[in-house]
Structure formats: C-alpha cells, structure tokens
C-alpha cells in the first residue's frame, strides 16, 4: 500500500510539474511574441506565422507551360498564328520590343508540327550570345507557311518517299544544323511513336542533360515528331547508344498537355516549389478540327482519332484544374463551327489557312466545365490570349522582386558534351 501511495504521489507530482512547465512555456511565449513581434498572444502569433508561410509559398510564383497540338485542320497555322498574336501582346504590354515567347514560358511541349514549332521557338539561335531563340513567333509562322508542304505531307506514298522526306530532312538540317536538345533554352518535351518498342517516346531536354544516350539533334527530333505514318525514320542518339524507329508524334499524343503538366509537377529538380495545378499557368493550343464528312482517306481518320484524343486530354486536364481552371488553364481551339461553314471543302492554299486561322481566333472560346461537358464562353480566342498575356507579364514582374526562385534550370556545359557536365543555375528574374 505504501508503495502504491508513493507511486500515486509521484504521478501527481509529474502531472503538476507538467502543468507548471506548460504554463511557463505559454507565459514566455506571450512575452516573447509581445517583445519581438507585438503579438498579444500565441494564438495570433500562430495565425500570423501561418499567413506568412502562405504568402511565402505564393511568392514562389507559377510555372508557365506552353503546349502545342499536332497538325489538325490548319497544319499548325492556328497555333503559330496564336503565338504571333500572343508575342505581339507581350511586346505591347511589357514595353519590350524584343520580348519573345521563350522568355515568358518555363517549359514547352509540342507534338507533330507543334513539336516543330516548339523547336523553332525554344532552340537557342546559332549566333546568339544573349540566349535569344532561333525564331520569333512571326518568323516561325512564316516558316510553317512557306514550308507547309514539306512538313505536313498529304500526297501519295511514292511522292512522300522520293521527294518530301528528302526535302523535309534538308529543311531541318539547314534550319537547326548541329543543335541538339541540350541547346534548347527551356525544358522541352516533343513526342513521337517508336515502332521498335511500340510505345510513345518523348524527347526531353531534362533527359538529354543527364546522358548523351537521350540527347538528339533537333533536326532529327523535328523529323521524328512530324514523320509520316507510312515512312518511319530511323534515328540514333548523339552517342549512338539509343536507337528508335519514329513516326508522327500525333499518333502517340496529339495533345501533349497532360505530359507537360506531369513532367513539371514531378520535376522537383527544376521546379522545386510547384506542388499542384494551382502553381501552374498553362496555355494549350489546338490547330482546328477536321470535318468528319470530308475525310475519305485512312490518314484522315488517323488525324480525326488524334483530334478526339486531344479533346479527351483537354477535358481531363480541365477537370484536374478544377476551380482554378478559369485563370490557370487556357485552351485555344476552334469551336466546331468552322467545319460546318466550309461544308466539306478543305483549305488548300496557305492564304486559305491563314484566313481560316484568323476566323478561328475570332470565334468564341470553348471551355470544358466540371461534370457539364463543354460550353461556349463569352470571350473569343483572341480575348483569351490577351488576358493570358497579361497573366504572363504579371508573373514576370513578380519574379523581379521575389526571393524564392520559381524555376531552377539545369544547364549543360558547352564542351565537352558529357552526362556529368551539368551545372545548376537559378533563373534570373528576366527568364
């Protein structure tokens, strides 16, 4: 009994000491907070600290992603025209006549002709010492218009094998020279379909910086992602260790938005503070939709299948963004009226495609709504681009005063090209 009483006394003593220590801690916390911060109590201190932490999180900013679909109805002209309008908007609103698309986006993904467009806008210029891209948006638009028949092949198989393939290879060789994925300015993702593994293959700047086994010449990347389904392209990595048999990226993923979002969210090395879709600003560009009644060839049905997959990706991504989709996710695509207006007639000339693209940009924007399918928005596609341009500039200005880096790009040493020759550099506020 004595032992039991002693034990109970010890427990009571421990409880009392615990209460005293707890009270002492609270008293000193109140005094400390009043002295240092002027807070009246610890509860306010906790609330203020929580608020400061939230502000610090938002200070990291949003990662800006550009995604470009495969050919579509306009053979890439709609996306190129959209980017030309956006770049003009950025120059006007920022007051910088040299503003370019690559300077206002942190990552890009493009499929098919969209991959070619991404390569043109995000590959470092051959003679550039200031990190400027090879092409401006206007120059890229002219490039696609002037070389449309070489890049988007719709003629017979014999002509594709004997002429177009050679012409496109020469075109990409002349344009990109010996530039590789390591020579891109920002993270780049360009898909194709590998007939050897029978699976999608994504050319990635991040992978190229890790090992030469995943570094490819940009001319080969563009040829692979735009390769006709009937004429696969055999290609090797820089070190010759990785070989693929590539065809059109539109077969694998005509709309690469989901791939780009997944890459950014899981790439903590380069995007350390990006934890969810609320930390993203995504612009997804379509290229118009074919009229099903006008399609009479097997390749046409393949393109329609790709467009259907693109719409599914758009719906899924929009649902993933949830309530923040209005501000953080913008999709530019025709609303379906164009296919009916043409009554089955396909735009054949470059001037026709430009006119059609302008008309599509003037159409009301189409938005995917949670559990309600799609709806016609009040704003036109051009209005959406203007608003998104404003958001890009706000983010650019915010980074000039932010302590936390939104993006930490991994850069390769210019020479020699080895997988270990990589360094980290924090993007400046102007990146």
């Amino acid at each position: 009994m004595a032992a039991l009483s002693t034990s109970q006394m010890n427990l009571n003593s421990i409880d009392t000491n615990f209460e005293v220590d707890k009270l002492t801690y609270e008293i000193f916390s109140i005094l400390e907070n009043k002295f240092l911060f002027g807070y009246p109590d610890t509860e306010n201190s906790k609330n203020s600290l929580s608020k400061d932490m939230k502000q610090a999180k938002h200070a990291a900013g949003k990662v800006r992603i550009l995604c470009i679909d495969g050919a579509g109805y306009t053979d890439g002209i709609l996306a190129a025209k959209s980017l030309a309008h956006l770049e003009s908007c950025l120059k006007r609103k920022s007051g910088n006549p040299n503003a370019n698309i690559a300077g206002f986006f942190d990552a890009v993904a493009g499929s098919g002709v969209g991959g070619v467009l991404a390569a043109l806008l995000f590959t470092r210029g051959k003679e550039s010492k200031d990190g400027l891209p090879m092409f401006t948006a206007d120059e890229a638009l002219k490039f696609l218009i002037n070389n449309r028949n070489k890049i988007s092949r719709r003629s017979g198989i014999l002509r594709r094998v004997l002429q177009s393939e050679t012409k496109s290879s020469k075109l990409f060789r002349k344009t990109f020279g010996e530039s590789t994925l390591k020579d891109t300015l920002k993270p780049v993702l360009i898909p194709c379909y590998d007939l050897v593994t029978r699976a999608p293959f994504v050319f990635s700047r991040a992978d190229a910086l890790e090992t030469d086994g995943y570094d490819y010449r940009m001319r080969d990347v563009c040829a692979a992602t735009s390769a006709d389904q009937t004429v696969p392209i055999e290609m090797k990595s820089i070190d010759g260790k990785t070989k693929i048999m590539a065809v059109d990226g539109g077969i694998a993923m005509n709309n690469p938005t989901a791939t780009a979002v997944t890459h950014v969210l899981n790439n903590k090395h380069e995007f350390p503070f990006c934890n969810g879709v609320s930390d993203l600003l995504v612009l997804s560009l379509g290229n118009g939709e074919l009229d099903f009644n006008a399609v009479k060839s097997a390749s046409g049905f393949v393109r329609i299948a790709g467009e259907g997959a693109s719409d599914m990706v758009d719906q899924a991504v929009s649902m993933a963004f949830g309530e923040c989709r209005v501000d953080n996710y913008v999709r530019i695509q025709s609303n379906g009226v164009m296919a009916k207006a043409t009554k089955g007639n396909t735009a054949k000339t470059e001037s026709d495609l430009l006119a059609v693209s302008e008309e599509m940009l003037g159409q009301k924007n189409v938005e995917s709504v949670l559990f309600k399918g799609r709806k016609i928005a009040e704003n036109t596609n051009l209005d959406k681009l203007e608003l998104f341009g404003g958001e890009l500039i706000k983010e650019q200005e915010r980074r000039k005063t932010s302590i936390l880096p939104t993006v930490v790009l991994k850069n390769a040493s210019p020479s020699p090209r080895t997988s270990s020759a990589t360094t980290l550099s924090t993007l400046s506020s102007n990146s």
Side-chain angles (χ1 to χ4, degrees), residues 45-56:
S45 174
K46 292 178 181 178
N47 292 338
S48 179
L49 181 60
S50 176
K51 183 178 180 181
D52 290 342
M53 290 178 67
K54 289 181 179 179
Q55 290 177 346

Side-chain angles (χ1 to χ4, degrees), residues 64-68 83 86-87 100-110 114-125 131-137 140 176 179-190 205 218 222 285 392 409 431:
R64 305 161 299 183
I65 306 174
L66 172 63
C67 307
I68 312 173
L83 289 172
L86 179 60
E87 189 171 86
N100 56 75
I101 294 297
F104 282 84
F105 283 94
D106 304 309
V108 63
V116 175
L117 187 55
L120 294 173
L121 295 173
F122 283 81
T123 301
R124 183 180 289 103
L132 294 176
M134 189 174 289
F135 282 71
T136 65
F176 295 100
S179 297
T180 73
L181 284 166
K182 290 183 179 180
D183 296 310
T184 52
L185 298 168
K186 303 286 179 69
V188 170
L189 300 166
I190 300 177
R205 177 184 185 271
M218 293 306 296
C222 290
L285 301 177
L392 292 177
L409 282 187
S431 298

Side-chain angles (χ1 to χ4, degrees), residues 374-394:
R374 304 170 74 186
K375 73 171 185 178
I376 303 296
E378 291 297 324
N379 295 324
T380 66
N381 286 321
L382 277 177
D383 294 335
K384 284 283 188 177
L385 287 172
E386 285 281 335
L387 293 172
F388 194 83
E391 292 299 317
L392 292 177
I393 291 175
K394 285 181 183 178

Side-chain angles (χ1 to χ4, degrees), residues 33-49:
N33 286 317
K34 280 188 174 182
F35 178 76
L36 294 177
F37 309 108
Y39 297 145
D41 52 44
T42 54
E43 188 64 30
N44 287 341
S45 174
K46 292 178 181 178
N47 292 338
S48 179
L49 181 60

Side-chain angles (χ1 to χ4, degrees), residues 247-304:
V247 293
D248 190 359
I251 296 178
M253 51 186 80
N254 198 57
N255 181 347
T257 306
T259 301
V261 170
T262 303
H263 174 80
V264 170
L265 291 179
N266 288 280
N267 185 357
K268 295 301 180 183
H269 198 117
E270 294 182 298
F271 309 103
F273 299 103
C274 188
N275 298 313
V277 292
S278 61
D279 298 322
L280 302 175
L281 280 176
V282 179
L283 175 62
S284 176
L285 301 177
N287 277 305
E289 297 180 340
L290 291 172
D291 181 7
F292 181 81
N293 295 322
V295 176
K296 299 179 181 179
S297 64
S299 61
F301 283 104
V302 171
R303 291 169 72 116
I304 281 189

Side-chain angles (χ1 to χ4, degrees), residues 88-251:
S88 176
C89 168
L90 293 173
K91 290 179 179 179
R92 183 177 70 255
K93 291 187 175 183
S94 67
N96 179 10
N98 297 317
N100 56 75
I101 294 297
F104 282 84
F105 283 94
D106 304 309
V108 63
S111 182
V113 69
V116 175
L117 187 55
L120 294 173
L121 295 173
F122 283 81
T123 301
R124 183 180 289 103
K126 297 177 183 178
E127 305 298 330
S128 174
K129 296 181 180 179
D130 301 322
L132 294 176
M134 189 174 289
F135 282 71
T136 65
D138 279 329
E139 292 169 345
L141 173 61
K142 293 177 183 177
F143 180 91
L144 291 188
I145 292 173
N146 295 334
N147 299 287
R148 172 191 168 222
N149 292 329
K150 298 176 183 177
I151 300 172
S152 300
R153 297 174 291 277
R154 293 184 178 179
S155 53
I157 295 177
L158 183 60
R159 182 180 176 184
R160 282 197 295 264
V161 174
L162 297 181
Q163 294 184 14
S164 296
E165 189 65 29
T166 302
K167 287 183 178 180
S168 63
S169 297
K170 288 182 178 179
L171 173 66
F172 294 139
R173 181 183 295 275
K174 180 180 178 181
T175 303
F176 295 100
E178 296 299 314
S179 297
T180 73
L181 284 166
K182 290 183 179 180
D183 296 310
T184 52
L185 298 168
K186 303 286 179 69
V188 170
L189 300 166
I190 300 177
C192 69
Y193 187 84
D194 182 17
L195 294 178
V196 176
T197 60
R198 296 185 180 181
F201 184 93
V202 179
F203 300 102
S204 168
R205 177 184 185 271
D207 292 338
L209 292 175
E210 291 296 326
T211 172
D212 283 341
Y214 289 104
D215 190 20
Y216 292 82
R217 291 179 177 84
M218 293 306 296
R219 64 177 188 242
D220 294 334
V221 172
C222 290
T225 195
S226 61
D228 189 271
Q229 298 93 330
T230 60
V231 189
I233 294 179
E234 184 177 2
M235 55 187 296
K236 299 178 181 179
S237 59
I238 292 296
D239 61 4
K241 294 181 179 179
T242 307
K243 301 178 182 179
I244 62 173
M245 186 72 71
V247 293
D248 190 359
I251 296 178

